Amino acid sequence: MAVPNPKFETSQVLLAAFVAPNGAKWAMDARARAAASLRAMGAPVKRDEYWKYTNPAELTVFPTPVAALLAIDEAPMFDNIDRLKLVFVDGVFDAELSDDLSLEGVEIEPLADALSKDIHWAKDLYGVLEANGQNPVKRPMAALNTAVAGQGLVIRATGKAVKPISVRYVHNAETSDAMVHHLVKIDAGASLTILESGPGAARFNSVMEIDVAEKAAFHHVRTQGRDHERRTMTHMFGRLADDSVFRSFTMTVNGILTRNECVLDVVGNDTKATVGGVCAGDGSDFHHDDTVFITHGSLNSESRQVFKKVLRNGATGVFQGKILVKEGAQKTDGYQISQALLLDDNSNFFAKPELEIYADDVICSHGSTVGAIDENALFYLLSRGVPQAQAQDMLILAFLGEAIDEIDDDALSQDIHDRLAQWMERRRS
Amino acid sequence: MLNIKNLQVGLEEEDKQILKGVDLNIGEGEVHAIMGPNGSGKSTMSYVLAGKSGYKVTGGSATLNGVDLLDMEPEERAAAGLFLAFQYPVEIPGVGNMTFLRTAVNAQRKARNEPELTASEFLKEVRTKAKDLKIDADMLKRPVNVGFSGGEKKRNEILQMAMLSPTMCILDETDSGLDVDAMKLVAEGVNALRDGKRSFLVITHYQRLLDHIKPDVVHIMANGKIIKSGGPDLALEVENNGYADILAEVA
């Protein structure tokens, strides 16, 4: 008799734990395909190569781990920015808390509506980029999401959006287990900025599939909520057509477990992609993982991965970044940097930078560093009368700032910068 | 103002004595210069007074206005009125020069229970002082010392000194790497701060700087000790004859 394999048993448990919503036949087919694919690949386990540094157990265990709510006495992120606000509470769209789904140059509808229509462009996107992103590396939690998610937004930018869409994820129940799936389609020449913020749920699984057409631009800035006990697993799957731009930036502080995956398929020529993030972790129960996979299959495209982490008191950070340049993808310019500032000997940073190149006329570079605070710079600040803790924070902020500068919008990058400074100041006082 | 008695200092990580009993008394408003051959301990003394880590005080004392300096954190020494102009000002990418200056000024004011400067008060003051030192708006906006020329870095040190208005200023080879015009500019900046109360300790290799910043007393340091003190003429003697004669004389 075959020995039961926990990997496959867990995938069954996961699929059974969520009720797959109804929808049009094509949507149900897409969900069934994803479910079958999850059954075949199995749930993630620690011994999987891509889960070597991050234990996925808390993402797949039942009952859902409890996450206490954080009482926040500060202005919510992006509140000072003119934007269309859309709110999810524990992963469920809340129309009452949200603005009307109307924005010039953009069509927005709830996922359930789009997926119940017999004819909808979403058919060509839902689960499509996710399935494409399962090769060569398996991403079971994304397959699970496609199989069972009933909540999310279906967004199509037909022109230049006049303001950003801000999606706020409110965490309201201590054991909420959320599945959110967004589809984003940016038509040729169109542009859209999506802002995401908030913890979302006790356990939060989100997938965003983004199709960026010719000469279109997608900008994404995300801050992940500070509820410390939350577990978060996100995937972004992007496809870039000719002359398109894709930019994504994430700021993370707090969180027992966060894994952000970004999988980009560069199929168009002359594209520009940037994926970056900063994370500030404190305590031995903080674990943050950035996993990026960019496939270059076209000519003259540029991609940047810029990640900075500051870790203290036993916090752990992970970076797994890959640039795959396919045969014939000449003039690719791929850049990757991941750096961690460890404030003590107990904190850990694991980095796995990878380049795989099958074209001969490309520029690809990667770097990864781990270091402590620069003692000379610190002494210089101290000698001018800046107190130790404040001087240290100035240097941390400067270090993280290099990644924040990747945000191609001065107001947004200033906003992120100010918020980090504010948190640091509060922590000192 | 600054009173150093039999100061003995070694390295923390290796068994090496650098200062072997330094005695130095600088009164209010006085300008003292320390000259000496390479490796005599001049820079070490400035670092130890400012509180840099890596050194071990094995004996003696240093007080500023009667307060024990060696017992204080570097930032407390700064707030107490001590300022060190670095021989090699540190580049700090990502920290704006203005942000840095304002943070430092207000941190010191806070430590002394003085009201902090508002953004506009600060801006007004820094603009006036920067103009005197020919520091343009662009230099103020750039990250601290990043991409600054040697002269710009030293002028930036003097700007910090002017903004922080310390009572005891130590200038560690401020003339190194400067051309004649830049040195003049820096010296003018220093002289502008001489008000009869503020004291200076000027560490230099060359007499040239002392033509511009006129000292009251000149000390010669060698092998971790001050071996000779005198008037400004002593600096001229060094310039003409080198250290050999003086070293031979005290040996």
Side-chain angles (χ1 to χ4, degrees), chain A residues 190-219:
Chain A
S191 66
L192 176 66
T193 298
I194 293 185
L195 311 172
E196 293 184 283
S197 60
R203 185 161 66 187
F204 189 66
N205 177 330
S206 89
V207 166
M208 187 185 283
E209 296 179 274
I210 310 113
D211 192 18
V212 193
E214 293 78 22
K215 295 188 167 61
F218 171 72
H219 287 199

PDB file of all heavy atoms in Angstrom, chain A residues 190-219:
ATOM      1  N   ALA A 190      -2.869  52.686 -22.434  1.00  0.00           N
ATOM      2  CA  ALA A 190      -3.536  53.103 -21.189  1.00  0.00           C
ATOM      3  C   ALA A 190      -2.554  53.023 -20.014  1.00  0.00           C
ATOM      4  O   ALA A 190      -1.477  52.434 -20.125  1.00  0.00           O
ATOM      5  CB  ALA A 190      -4.744  52.218 -20.924  1.00  0.00           C
ATOM      6  N   SER A 191      -2.951  53.635 -18.892  1.00  0.00           N
ATOM      7  CA  SER A 191      -2.114  53.516 -17.705  1.00  0.00           C
ATOM      8  C   SER A 191      -2.969  53.552 -16.449  1.00  0.00           C
ATOM      9  O   SER A 191      -4.032  54.171 -16.420  1.00  0.00           O
ATOM     10  CB  SER A 191      -1.078  54.640 -17.652  1.00  0.00           C
ATOM     11  OG  SER A 191      -1.715  55.876 -17.491  1.00  0.00           O
ATOM     12  N   LEU A 192      -2.496  52.866 -15.438  1.00  0.00           N
ATOM     13  CA  LEU A 192      -3.244  52.773 -14.188  1.00  0.00           C
ATOM     14  C   LEU A 192      -2.298  52.538 -13.024  1.00  0.00           C
ATOM     15  O   LEU A 192      -1.318  51.793 -13.144  1.00  0.00           O
ATOM     16  CB  LEU A 192      -4.244  51.606 -14.277  1.00  0.00           C
ATOM     17  CG  LEU A 192      -5.052  51.300 -13.004  1.00  0.00           C
ATOM     18  CD1 LEU A 192      -6.007  52.448 -12.672  1.00  0.00           C
ATOM     19  CD2 LEU A 192      -5.845  50.004 -13.159  1.00  0.00           C
ATOM     20  N   THR A 193      -2.610  53.188 -11.897  1.00  0.00           N
ATOM     21  CA  THR A 193      -1.880  52.934 -10.657  1.00  0.00           C
ATOM     22  C   THR A 193      -2.815  52.256  -9.670  1.00  0.00           C
ATOM     23  O   THR A 193      -3.931  52.730  -9.447  1.00  0.00           O
ATOM     24  CB  THR A 193      -1.359  54.250 -10.042  1.00  0.00           C
ATOM     25  OG1 THR A 193      -0.457  54.858 -10.964  1.00  0.00           O
ATOM     26  CG2 THR A 193      -0.638  54.000  -8.726  1.00  0.00           C
ATOM     27  N   ILE A 194      -2.377  51.151  -9.114  1.00  0.00           N
ATOM     28  CA  ILE A 194      -3.151  50.487  -8.068  1.00  0.00           C
ATOM     29  C   ILE A 194      -2.360  50.533  -6.768  1.00  0.00           C
ATOM     30  O   ILE A 194      -1.176  50.186  -6.731  1.00  0.00           O
ATOM     31  CB  ILE A 194      -3.489  49.031  -8.450  1.00  0.00           C
ATOM     32  CG1 ILE A 194      -4.449  49.024  -9.647  1.00  0.00           C
ATOM     33  CG2 ILE A 194      -4.089  48.273  -7.269  1.00  0.00           C
ATOM     34  CD1 ILE A 194      -4.940  47.649 -10.046  1.00  0.00           C
ATOM     35  N   LEU A 195      -3.024  51.005  -5.715  1.00  0.00           N
ATOM     36  CA  LEU A 195      -2.414  51.060  -4.393  1.00  0.00           C
ATOM     37  C   LEU A 195      -3.106  50.016  -3.530  1.00  0.00           C
ATOM     38  O   LEU A 195      -4.323  49.921  -3.539  1.00  0.00           O
ATOM     39  CB  LEU A 195      -2.609  52.447  -3.771  1.00  0.00           C
ATOM     40  CG  LEU A 195      -2.253  53.645  -4.655  1.00  0.00           C
ATOM     41  CD1 LEU A 195      -2.693  54.951  -3.981  1.00  0.00           C
ATOM     42  CD2 LEU A 195      -0.763  53.662  -4.926  1.00  0.00           C
ATOM     43  N   GLU A 196      -2.353  49.241  -2.803  1.00  0.00           N
ATOM     44  CA  GLU A 196      -2.961  48.274  -1.893  1.00  0.00           C
ATOM     45  C   GLU A 196      -2.440  48.555  -0.494  1.00  0.00           C
ATOM     46  O   GLU A 196      -1.265  48.891  -0.323  1.00  0.00           O
ATOM     47  CB  GLU A 196      -2.587  46.840  -2.286  1.00  0.00           C
ATOM     48  CG  GLU A 196      -3.159  46.365  -3.608  1.00  0.00           C
ATOM     49  CD  GLU A 196      -2.816  44.892  -3.856  1.00  0.00           C
ATOM     50  OE1 GLU A 196      -1.670  44.610  -4.222  1.00  0.00           O
ATOM     51  OE2 GLU A 196      -3.706  44.035  -3.663  1.00  0.00           O
ATOM     52  N   SER A 197      -3.298  48.376   0.490  1.00  0.00           N
ATOM     53  CA  SER A 197      -2.842  48.587   1.862  1.00  0.00           C
ATOM     54  C   SER A 197      -3.689  47.784   2.833  1.00  0.00           C
ATOM     55  O   SER A 197      -4.812  47.421   2.533  1.00  0.00           O
ATOM     56  CB  SER A 197      -2.919  50.076   2.220  1.00  0.00           C
ATOM     57  OG  SER A 197      -4.239  50.542   2.111  1.00  0.00           O
ATOM     58  N   GLY A 198      -3.105  47.509   3.968  1.00  0.00           N
ATOM     59  CA  GLY A 198      -3.845  46.843   5.040  1.00  0.00           C
ATOM     60  C   GLY A 198      -3.531  45.366   5.160  1.00  0.00           C
ATOM     61  O   GLY A 198      -3.056  44.736   4.223  1.00  0.00           O
ATOM     62  N   PRO A 199      -3.798  44.795   6.330  1.00  0.00           N
ATOM     63  CA  PRO A 199      -3.457  43.399   6.598  1.00  0.00           C
ATOM     64  C   PRO A 199      -4.378  42.405   5.894  1.00  0.00           C
ATOM     65  O   PRO A 199      -3.961  41.299   5.570  1.00  0.00           O
ATOM     66  CB  PRO A 199      -3.603  43.289   8.115  1.00  0.00           C
ATOM     67  CG  PRO A 199      -4.554  44.383   8.489  1.00  0.00           C
ATOM     68  CD  PRO A 199      -4.350  45.484   7.503  1.00  0.00           C
ATOM     69  N   GLY A 200      -5.628  42.770   5.676  1.00  0.00           N
ATOM     70  CA  GLY A 200      -6.527  41.919   4.893  1.00  0.00           C
ATOM     71  C   GLY A 200      -7.303  40.907   5.670  1.00  0.00           C
ATOM     72  O   GLY A 200      -8.522  40.820   5.561  1.00  0.00           O
ATOM     73  N   ALA A 201      -6.629  40.102   6.466  1.00  0.00           N
ATOM     74  CA  ALA A 201      -7.304  39.023   7.194  1.00  0.00           C
ATOM     75  C   ALA A 201      -6.277  38.382   8.112  1.00  0.00           C
ATOM     76  O   ALA A 201      -5.091  38.707   8.060  1.00  0.00           O
ATOM     77  CB  ALA A 201      -7.854  37.993   6.221  1.00  0.00           C
ATOM     78  N   ALA A 202      -6.751  37.468   8.955  1.00  0.00           N
ATOM     79  CA  ALA A 202      -5.821  36.724   9.794  1.00  0.00           C
ATOM     80  C   ALA A 202      -4.856  35.952   8.897  1.00  0.00           C
ATOM     81  O   ALA A 202      -3.651  35.925   9.114  1.00  0.00           O
ATOM     82  CB  ALA A 202      -6.575  35.767  10.711  1.00  0.00           C
ATOM     83  N   ARG A 203      -5.448  35.332   7.860  1.00  0.00           N
ATOM     84  CA  ARG A 203      -4.614  34.690   6.841  1.00  0.00           C
ATOM     85  C   ARG A 203      -5.118  35.176   5.493  1.00  0.00           C
ATOM     86  O   ARG A 203      -6.314  35.123   5.207  1.00  0.00           O
ATOM     87  CB  ARG A 203      -4.702  33.172   6.949  1.00  0.00           C
ATOM     88  CG  ARG A 203      -3.752  32.464   5.996  1.00  0.00           C
ATOM     89  CD  ARG A 203      -3.487  31.035   6.405  1.00  0.00           C
ATOM     90  NE  ARG A 203      -4.666  30.188   6.325  1.00  0.00           N
ATOM     91  CZ  ARG A 203      -4.695  28.926   6.770  1.00  0.00           C
ATOM     92  NH1 ARG A 203      -3.624  28.391   7.344  1.00  0.00           N
ATOM     93  NH2 ARG A 203      -5.781  28.202   6.669  1.00  0.00           N
ATOM     94  N   PHE A 204      -4.196  35.666   4.706  1.00  0.00           N
ATOM     95  CA  PHE A 204      -4.583  36.381   3.497  1.00  0.00           C
ATOM     96  C   PHE A 204      -3.845  35.792   2.301  1.00  0.00           C
ATOM     97  O   PHE A 204      -2.628  35.701   2.288  1.00  0.00           O
ATOM     98  CB  PHE A 204      -4.211  37.851   3.673  1.00  0.00           C
ATOM     99  CG  PHE A 204      -4.736  38.768   2.603  1.00  0.00           C
ATOM    100  CD1 PHE A 204      -6.101  38.975   2.455  1.00  0.00           C
ATOM    101  CD2 PHE A 204      -3.868  39.441   1.753  1.00  0.00           C
ATOM    102  CE1 PHE A 204      -6.582  39.845   1.479  1.00  0.00           C
ATOM    103  CE2 PHE A 204      -4.343  40.302   0.774  1.00  0.00           C
ATOM    104  CZ  PHE A 204      -5.709  40.505   0.640  1.00  0.00           C
ATOM    105  N   ASN A 205      -4.617  35.368   1.306  1.00  0.00           N
ATOM    106  CA  ASN A 205      -4.017  34.827   0.090  1.00  0.00           C
ATOM    107  C   ASN A 205      -4.538  35.646  -1.080  1.00  0.00           C
ATOM    108  O   ASN A 205      -5.735  35.687  -1.335  1.00  0.00           O
ATOM    109  CB  ASN A 205      -4.408  33.342  -0.048  1.00  0.00           C
ATOM    110  CG  ASN A 205      -3.879  32.713  -1.333  1.00  0.00           C
ATOM    111  OD1 ASN A 205      -3.712  33.366  -2.363  1.00  0.00           O
ATOM    112  ND2 ASN A 205      -3.619  31.403  -1.272  1.00  0.00           N
ATOM    113  N   SER A 206      -3.654  36.347  -1.756  1.00  0.00           N
ATOM    114  CA  SER A 206      -4.132  37.142  -2.878  1.00  0.00           C
ATOM    115  C   SER A 206      -3.348  36.842  -4.148  1.00  0.00           C
ATOM    116  O   SER A 206      -2.151  36.561  -4.101  1.00  0.00           O
ATOM    117  CB  SER A 206      -4.079  38.639  -2.559  1.00  0.00           C
ATOM    118  OG  SER A 206      -2.838  39.177  -2.907  1.00  0.00           O
ATOM    119  N   VAL A 207      -4.068  36.872  -5.246  1.00  0.00           N
ATOM    120  CA  VAL A 207      -3.452  36.716  -6.560  1.00  0.00           C
ATOM    121  C   VAL A 207      -3.900  37.902  -7.401  1.00  0.00           C
ATOM    122  O   VAL A 207      -5.074  38.290  -7.370  1.00  0.00           O
ATOM    123  CB  VAL A 207      -3.878  35.399  -7.240  1.00  0.00           C
ATOM    124  CG1 VAL A 207      -3.508  35.409  -8.732  1.00  0.00           C
ATOM    125  CG2 VAL A 207      -3.231  34.195  -6.552  1.00  0.00           C
ATOM    126  N   MET A 208      -2.961  38.498  -8.115  1.00  0.00           N
ATOM    127  CA  MET A 208      -3.322  39.544  -9.066  1.00  0.00           C
ATOM    128  C   MET A 208      -2.708  39.161 -10.410  1.00  0.00           C
ATOM    129  O   MET A 208      -1.508  38.928 -10.494  1.00  0.00           O
ATOM    130  CB  MET A 208      -2.792  40.903  -8.596  1.00  0.00           C
ATOM    131  CG  MET A 208      -3.274  42.073  -9.448  1.00  0.00           C
ATOM    132  SD  MET A 208      -2.526  43.667  -8.962  1.00  0.00           S
ATOM    133  CE  MET A 208      -3.450  44.058  -7.481  1.00  0.00           C
ATOM    134  N   GLU A 209      -3.569  39.051 -11.412  1.00  0.00           N
ATOM    135  CA  GLU A 209      -3.064  38.779 -12.759  1.00  0.00           C
ATOM    136  C   GLU A 209      -3.156  40.082 -13.538  1.00  0.00           C
ATOM    137  O   GLU A 209      -4.214  40.718 -13.578  1.00  0.00           O
ATOM    138  CB  GLU A 209      -3.882  37.679 -13.427  1.00  0.00           C
ATOM    139  CG  GLU A 209      -3.743  36.328 -12.690  1.00  0.00           C
ATOM    140  CD  GLU A 209      -4.563  35.213 -13.331  1.00  0.00           C
ATOM    141  OE1 GLU A 209      -5.758  35.094 -12.989  1.00  0.00           O
ATOM    142  OE2 GLU A 209      -4.016  34.470 -14.155  1.00  0.00           O
ATOM    143  N   ILE A 210      -2.046  40.475 -14.134  1.00  0.00           N
ATOM    144  CA  ILE A 210      -1.980  41.793 -14.779  1.00  0.00           C
ATOM    145  C   ILE A 210      -1.496  41.641 -16.210  1.00  0.00           C
ATOM    146  O   ILE A 210      -0.386  41.172 -16.458  1.00  0.00           O
ATOM    147  CB  ILE A 210      -0.994  42.730 -14.029  1.00  0.00           C
ATOM    148  CG1 ILE A 210      -1.295  42.742 -12.530  1.00  0.00           C
ATOM    149  CG2 ILE A 210      -1.056  44.151 -14.590  1.00  0.00           C
ATOM    150  CD1 ILE A 210      -0.219  42.127 -11.680  1.00  0.00           C
ATOM    151  N   ASP A 211      -2.334  42.068 -17.128  1.00  0.00           N
ATOM    152  CA  ASP A 211      -1.975  41.987 -18.537  1.00  0.00           C
ATOM    153  C   ASP A 211      -1.741  43.410 -19.051  1.00  0.00           C
ATOM    154  O   ASP A 211      -2.665  44.214 -19.098  1.00  0.00           O
ATOM    155  CB  ASP A 211      -3.121  41.306 -19.300  1.00  0.00           C
ATOM    156  CG  ASP A 211      -2.699  40.911 -20.711  1.00  0.00           C
ATOM    157  OD1 ASP A 211      -1.482  40.841 -20.966  1.00  0.00           O
ATOM    158  OD2 ASP A 211      -3.594  40.668 -21.542  1.00  0.00           O
ATOM    159  N   VAL A 212      -0.504  43.698 -19.400  1.00  0.00           N
ATOM    160  CA  VAL A 212      -0.166  45.062 -19.803  1.00  0.00           C
ATOM    161  C   VAL A 212       0.080  45.072 -21.314  1.00  0.00           C
ATOM    162  O   VAL A 212       1.036  44.464 -21.803  1.00  0.00           O
ATOM    163  CB  VAL A 212       1.092  45.562 -19.051  1.00  0.00           C
ATOM    164  CG1 VAL A 212       1.254  47.065 -19.234  1.00  0.00           C
ATOM    165  CG2 VAL A 212       1.021  45.221 -17.569  1.00  0.00           C
ATOM    166  N   ALA A 213      -0.795  45.757 -22.032  1.00  0.00           N
ATOM    167  CA  ALA A 213      -0.726  45.749 -23.499  1.00  0.00           C
ATOM    168  C   ALA A 213       0.338  46.727 -24.009  1.00  0.00           C
ATOM    169  O   ALA A 213       1.033  47.371 -23.220  1.00  0.00           O
ATOM    170  CB  ALA A 213      -2.098  46.096 -24.079  1.00  0.00           C
ATOM    171  N   GLU A 214       0.435  46.838 -25.337  1.00  0.00           N
ATOM    172  CA  GLU A 214       1.450  47.688 -25.961  1.00  0.00           C
ATOM    173  C   GLU A 214       1.362  49.119 -25.428  1.00  0.00           C
ATOM    174  O   GLU A 214       0.280  49.683 -25.307  1.00  0.00           O
ATOM    175  CB  GLU A 214       1.274  47.730 -27.496  1.00  0.00           C
ATOM    176  CG  GLU A 214       1.552  46.413 -28.206  1.00  0.00           C
ATOM    177  CD  GLU A 214       0.381  45.428 -28.083  1.00  0.00           C
ATOM    178  OE1 GLU A 214      -0.751  45.884 -27.835  1.00  0.00           O
ATOM    179  OE2 GLU A 214       0.612  44.212 -28.205  1.00  0.00           O
ATOM    180  N   LYS A 215       2.513  49.686 -25.152  1.00  0.00           N
ATOM    181  CA  LYS A 215       2.626  51.091 -24.721  1.00  0.00           C
ATOM    182  C   LYS A 215       1.773  51.417 -23.491  1.00  0.00           C
ATOM    183  O   LYS A 215       1.428  52.573 -23.234  1.00  0.00           O
ATOM    184  CB  LYS A 215       2.254  52.045 -25.868  1.00  0.00           C
ATOM    185  CG  LYS A 215       3.209  51.988 -27.053  1.00  0.00           C
ATOM    186  CD  LYS A 215       2.879  53.098 -28.066  1.00  0.00           C
ATOM    187  CE  LYS A 215       3.956  53.284 -29.098  1.00  0.00           C
ATOM    188  NZ  LYS A 215       4.221  52.103 -29.950  1.00  0.00           N
ATOM    189  N   ALA A 216       1.419  50.409 -22.742  1.00  0.00           N
ATOM    190  CA  ALA A 216       0.608  50.634 -21.538  1.00  0.00           C
ATOM    191  C   ALA A 216       1.514  50.622 -20.312  1.00  0.00           C
ATOM    192  O   ALA A 216       2.639  50.142 -20.366  1.00  0.00           O
ATOM    193  CB  ALA A 216      -0.459  49.555 -21.422  1.00  0.00           C
ATOM    194  N   ALA A 217       0.998  51.193 -19.219  1.00  0.00           N
ATOM    195  CA  ALA A 217       1.806  51.243 -18.003  1.00  0.00           C
ATOM    196  C   ALA A 217       0.987  50.830 -16.787  1.00  0.00           C
ATOM    197  O   ALA A 217      -0.145  51.283 -16.596  1.00  0.00           O
ATOM    198  CB  ALA A 217       2.361  52.652 -17.804  1.00  0.00           C
ATOM    199  N   PHE A 218       1.568  49.972 -15.984  1.00  0.00           N
ATOM    200  CA  PHE A 218       0.950  49.537 -14.737  1.00  0.00           C
ATOM    201  C   PHE A 218       1.875  49.911 -13.580  1.00  0.00           C
ATOM    202  O   PHE A 218       3.050  49.540 -13.578  1.00  0.00           O
ATOM    203  CB  PHE A 218       0.722  48.025 -14.754  1.00  0.00           C
ATOM    204  CG  PHE A 218       0.278  47.467 -13.425  1.00  0.00           C
ATOM    205  CD1 PHE A 218      -1.001  47.708 -12.938  1.00  0.00           C
ATOM    206  CD2 PHE A 218       1.142  46.695 -12.644  1.00  0.00           C
ATOM    207  CE1 PHE A 218      -1.417  47.196 -11.701  1.00  0.00           C
ATOM    208  CE2 PHE A 218       0.729  46.178 -11.412  1.00  0.00           C
ATOM    209  CZ  PHE A 218      -0.548  46.431 -10.953  1.00  0.00           C
ATOM    210  N   HIS A 219       1.335  50.667 -12.633  1.00  0.00           N
ATOM    211  CA  HIS A 219       2.101  51.025 -11.437  1.00  0.00           C
ATOM    212  C   HIS A 219       1.392  50.457 -10.214  1.00  0.00           C
ATOM    213  O   HIS A 219       0.175  50.545 -10.106  1.00  0.00           O
ATOM    214  CB  HIS A 219       2.215  52.541 -11.273  1.00  0.00           C
ATOM    215  CG  HIS A 219       3.155  53.165 -12.259  1.00  0.00           C
ATOM    216  ND1 HIS A 219       3.696  54.406 -12.073  1.00  0.00           N
ATOM    217  CD2 HIS A 219       3.645  52.713 -13.437  1.00  0.00           C
ATOM    218  CE1 HIS A 219       4.489  54.700 -13.092  1.00  0.00           C
ATOM    219  NE2 HIS A 219       4.467  53.699 -13.934  1.00  0.00           N
TER     220      HIS A 219
END
